[in-house]
Amino acid sequence: GPLEEMSLPLFFGWFLLSSVQDKVRCTSMDFLKTLDTLEAFKKHLNDFTGKAEKEVDLEQYFQAKGTLHCTTKFCDYGKAPGAKEYAQNTTVKEFYGSAFELSLSALFVTPRTVGARVSLTEEQLLLWPADPEEEAGSTSLPRGSRAHITLGCAEHVEPVQTGLDLLEIETLQQERQQGEPIEEMELGSLTYYGEGRWLLTLREPICTPACFSSFYG
Ligand code: A2P
């Protein structure tokens, strides 16, 4: 019945404290602002606009979506495969409501999404779902490679795309297609992976407190 369906959330994940959300958003905005002005970015502008000469304001191009979080398991109120098993997992139940420290190790931008890569600890990986389809499309990336925070999406793009974009970049990295090193920025080193895919590896990972919980919407 409808009550049973409501008993599982839309998703489980780590929710950033509101005070650090602002900090992360500012860092992301600064990065977009700087990226926008780089000659290397302008050279590849048609990845974003489809046209060579057009300008793009990256801060306007991406729209923020809700409260910042790192999804562990998308349950879709129980309709997603493995949702019930995940919700009943003893580790999930044990850590529900607990505080964690997430490490954001990189920022990435594609014509579809902007996000932050989250590097999970061994303990945090215990909360990562076991679903084999989770890292679909990628060959042999380590578990948790998809862990990320969606910072913004282009018009008509759903946030689920952010994780797929990150997996794509990591697959390219793993295939030893090193990408094209662009330059050292204040925040870290910037690499271009073609087709509008940019990765900024942070010199100092951003550590942020986050609560493991769920979202019903
Ligand atoms: P993400 O974790 O990349 O931000 P929506 O608002 O579209 O229903 O999504 C709610 C949250 O669940 C978002 O955070 C979103 O993406 C995530 N999400 C949506 N669909 C999926 C999916 N199929 N697999 C994994 N995560 C998903």
Side-chain angles (χ1 to χ4, degrees), residues 68-88:
L68 296 186
H69 64 271
C70 173
T71 304
T72 52
K73 175 70 186 170
F74 181 70
C75 292
D76 199 11
Y77 307 111
K79 293 196 283 282
K84 204 172 161 197
E85 291 75 6
Y86 183 84
Q88 288 171 350

Side-chain angles (χ1 to χ4, degrees), residues 10-11 69-71 74 146 148-150 158-163:
L10 181 60
F11 62 89
H69 64 271
C70 173
T71 304
F74 181 70
R146 187 177 178 162
H148 69 280
I149 294 167
T150 298
E158 295 296 324
V160 63
Q161 185 62 45
T162 320

